[in-house]
PDB file of all heavy atoms in Angstrom:
ATOM      1  N   ASP A 134      14.173  19.208  18.166  1.00  0.00           N
ATOM      2  CA  ASP A 134      12.984  18.353  18.190  1.00  0.00           C
ATOM      3  C   ASP A 134      12.093  18.679  19.377  1.00  0.00           C
ATOM      4  O   ASP A 134      10.875  18.812  19.237  1.00  0.00           O
ATOM      5  CB  ASP A 134      13.382  16.878  18.260  1.00  0.00           C
ATOM      6  CG  ASP A 134      13.604  16.251  16.896  1.00  0.00           C
ATOM      7  OD1 ASP A 134      13.481  16.951  15.876  1.00  0.00           O
ATOM      8  OD2 ASP A 134      13.917  15.040  16.857  1.00  0.00           O
ATOM      9  N   ARG A 135      12.688  18.799  20.563  1.00  0.00           N
ATOM     10  CA  ARG A 135      11.894  19.086  21.766  1.00  0.00           C
ATOM     11  C   ARG A 135      11.238  20.466  21.660  1.00  0.00           C
ATOM     12  O   ARG A 135      10.108  20.658  22.102  1.00  0.00           O
ATOM     13  CB  ARG A 135      12.759  19.017  23.023  1.00  0.00           C
ATOM     14  CG  ARG A 135      13.356  17.661  23.341  1.00  0.00           C
ATOM     15  CD  ARG A 135      12.315  16.556  23.467  1.00  0.00           C
ATOM     16  NE  ARG A 135      12.807  15.363  24.106  1.00  0.00           N
ATOM     17  CZ  ARG A 135      13.657  14.496  23.593  1.00  0.00           C
ATOM     18  NH1 ARG A 135      14.174  14.691  22.418  1.00  0.00           N
ATOM     19  NH2 ARG A 135      14.010  13.419  24.266  1.00  0.00           N
ATOM     20  N   THR A 136      11.952  21.423  21.069  1.00  0.00           N
ATOM     21  CA  THR A 136      11.386  22.759  20.878  1.00  0.00           C
ATOM     22  C   THR A 136      10.141  22.690  20.007  1.00  0.00           C
ATOM     23  O   THR A 136       9.143  23.381  20.269  1.00  0.00           O
ATOM     24  CB  THR A 136      12.424  23.697  20.228  1.00  0.00           C
ATOM     25  OG1 THR A 136      13.537  23.820  21.108  1.00  0.00           O
ATOM     26  CG2 THR A 136      11.849  25.065  19.955  1.00  0.00           C
ATOM     27  N   LEU A 137      10.193  21.891  18.962  1.00  0.00           N
ATOM     28  CA  LEU A 137       9.077  21.772  18.024  1.00  0.00           C
ATOM     29  C   LEU A 137       7.993  20.816  18.508  1.00  0.00           C
ATOM     30  O   LEU A 137       6.976  20.636  17.837  1.00  0.00           O
ATOM     31  CB  LEU A 137       9.601  21.317  16.658  1.00  0.00           C
ATOM     32  CG  LEU A 137      10.554  22.300  15.986  1.00  0.00           C
ATOM     33  CD1 LEU A 137      11.160  21.685  14.733  1.00  0.00           C
ATOM     34  CD2 LEU A 137       9.843  23.603  15.653  1.00  0.00           C
ATOM     35  N   GLY A 138       8.209  20.200  19.665  1.00  0.00           N
ATOM     36  CA  GLY A 138       7.193  19.332  20.248  1.00  0.00           C
ATOM     37  C   GLY A 138       7.354  17.869  19.921  1.00  0.00           C
ATOM     38  O   GLY A 138       6.450  17.078  20.171  1.00  0.00           O
ATOM     39  N   TYR A 139       8.480  17.488  19.350  1.00  0.00           N
ATOM     40  CA  TYR A 139       8.722  16.080  19.047  1.00  0.00           C
ATOM     41  C   TYR A 139       9.561  15.475  20.159  1.00  0.00           C
ATOM     42  O   TYR A 139      10.656  15.934  20.435  1.00  0.00           O
ATOM     43  CB  TYR A 139       9.448  15.921  17.709  1.00  0.00           C
ATOM     44  CG  TYR A 139       8.660  16.439  16.550  1.00  0.00           C
ATOM     45  CD1 TYR A 139       9.046  17.600  15.889  1.00  0.00           C
ATOM     46  CD2 TYR A 139       7.506  15.792  16.113  1.00  0.00           C
ATOM     47  CE1 TYR A 139       8.315  18.087  14.821  1.00  0.00           C
ATOM     48  CE2 TYR A 139       6.777  16.279  15.057  1.00  0.00           C
ATOM     49  CZ  TYR A 139       7.186  17.425  14.407  1.00  0.00           C
ATOM     50  OH  TYR A 139       6.464  17.911  13.356  1.00  0.00           O
ATOM     51  N   GLY A 140       9.026  14.441  20.783  1.00  0.00           N
ATOM     52  CA  GLY A 140       9.746  13.800  21.874  1.00  0.00           C
ATOM     53  C   GLY A 140       9.953  12.331  21.593  1.00  0.00           C
ATOM     54  O   GLY A 140       9.934  11.888  20.449  1.00  0.00           O
ATOM     55  N   LEU A 141      10.134  11.572  22.645  1.00  0.00           N
ATOM     56  CA  LEU A 141      10.311  10.135  22.522  1.00  0.00           C
ATOM     57  C   LEU A 141       8.989   9.490  22.129  1.00  0.00           C
ATOM     58  O   LEU A 141       7.928  10.102  22.241  1.00  0.00           O
ATOM     59  CB  LEU A 141      10.816   9.561  23.845  1.00  0.00           C
ATOM     60  CG  LEU A 141      12.162  10.111  24.317  1.00  0.00           C
ATOM     61  CD1 LEU A 141      12.505   9.541  25.684  1.00  0.00           C
ATOM     62  CD2 LEU A 141      13.255   9.832  23.313  1.00  0.00           C
ATOM     63  N   ARG A 142       9.069   8.266  21.676  1.00  0.00           N
ATOM     64  CA  ARG A 142       7.878   7.529  21.228  1.00  0.00           C
ATOM     65  C   ARG A 142       7.502   6.451  22.244  1.00  0.00           C
ATOM     66  O   ARG A 142       8.351   5.925  22.945  1.00  0.00           O
ATOM     67  CB  ARG A 142       8.151   6.871  19.876  1.00  0.00           C
ATOM     68  CG  ARG A 142       8.529   7.810  18.760  1.00  0.00           C
ATOM     69  CD  ARG A 142       7.368   8.709  18.407  1.00  0.00           C
ATOM     70  NE  ARG A 142       7.668   9.544  17.264  1.00  0.00           N
ATOM     71  CZ  ARG A 142       6.929   9.571  16.163  1.00  0.00           C
ATOM     72  NH1 ARG A 142       5.846   8.819  16.067  1.00  0.00           N
ATOM     73  NH2 ARG A 142       7.247  10.380  15.175  1.00  0.00           N
ATOM     74  N   THR A 143       6.218   6.147  22.286  1.00  0.00           N
ATOM     75  CA  THR A 143       5.751   5.028  23.103  1.00  0.00           C
ATOM     76  C   THR A 143       6.143   3.734  22.411  1.00  0.00           C
ATOM     77  O   THR A 143       6.557   3.732  21.247  1.00  0.00           O
ATOM     78  CB  THR A 143       4.229   5.072  23.293  1.00  0.00           C
ATOM     79  OG1 THR A 143       3.610   4.898  22.013  1.00  0.00           O
ATOM     80  CG2 THR A 143       3.775   6.375  23.934  1.00  0.00           C
ATOM     81  N   ALA A 144       5.957   2.606  23.079  1.00  0.00           N
ATOM     82  CA  ALA A 144       6.280   1.312  22.473  1.00  0.00           C
ATOM     83  C   ALA A 144       5.469   1.063  21.202  1.00  0.00           C
ATOM     84  O   ALA A 144       5.895   0.345  20.310  1.00  0.00           O
ATOM     85  CB  ALA A 144       6.043   0.189  23.479  1.00  0.00           C
ATOM     86  N   ASP A 145       4.296   1.682  21.116  1.00  0.00           N
ATOM     87  CA  ASP A 145       3.443   1.557  19.931  1.00  0.00           C
ATOM     88  C   ASP A 145       3.829   2.518  18.820  1.00  0.00           C
ATOM     89  O   ASP A 145       3.242   2.484  17.745  1.00  0.00           O
ATOM     90  CB  ASP A 145       1.970   1.775  20.294  1.00  0.00           C
ATOM     91  CG  ASP A 145       1.407   0.647  21.144  1.00  0.00           C
ATOM     92  OD1 ASP A 145       1.995  -0.437  21.126  1.00  0.00           O
ATOM     93  OD2 ASP A 145       0.388   0.867  21.804  1.00  0.00           O
ATOM     94  N   GLY A 146       4.787   3.425  19.087  1.00  0.00           N
ATOM     95  CA  GLY A 146       5.248   4.336  18.056  1.00  0.00           C
ATOM     96  C   GLY A 146       4.610   5.705  18.046  1.00  0.00           C
ATOM     97  O   GLY A 146       4.873   6.523  17.168  1.00  0.00           O
ATOM     98  N   TRP A 147       3.772   6.014  19.028  1.00  0.00           N
ATOM     99  CA  TRP A 147       3.104   7.317  19.083  1.00  0.00           C
ATOM    100  C   TRP A 147       3.942   8.292  19.913  1.00  0.00           C
ATOM    101  O   TRP A 147       4.713   7.903  20.764  1.00  0.00           O
ATOM    102  CB  TRP A 147       1.712   7.184  19.703  1.00  0.00           C
ATOM    103  CG  TRP A 147       0.797   6.350  18.872  1.00  0.00           C
ATOM    104  CD1 TRP A 147       0.434   5.058  19.124  1.00  0.00           C
ATOM    105  CD2 TRP A 147       0.162   6.711  17.660  1.00  0.00           C
ATOM    106  NE1 TRP A 147      -0.398   4.607  18.126  1.00  0.00           N
ATOM    107  CE2 TRP A 147      -0.588   5.603  17.218  1.00  0.00           C
ATOM    108  CE3 TRP A 147       0.149   7.876  16.883  1.00  0.00           C
ATOM    109  CZ2 TRP A 147      -1.341   5.619  16.043  1.00  0.00           C
ATOM    110  CZ3 TRP A 147      -0.606   7.892  15.715  1.00  0.00           C
ATOM    111  CH2 TRP A 147      -1.337   6.779  15.310  1.00  0.00           C
TER     112      TRP A 147
END
Side-chain angles (χ1 to χ4, degrees):
D134 272 1
R135 296 304 196 289
T136 298
L137 297 173
Y139 298 109
L141 299 176
R142 301 294 185 124
T143 64
D145 291 340
W147 296 103

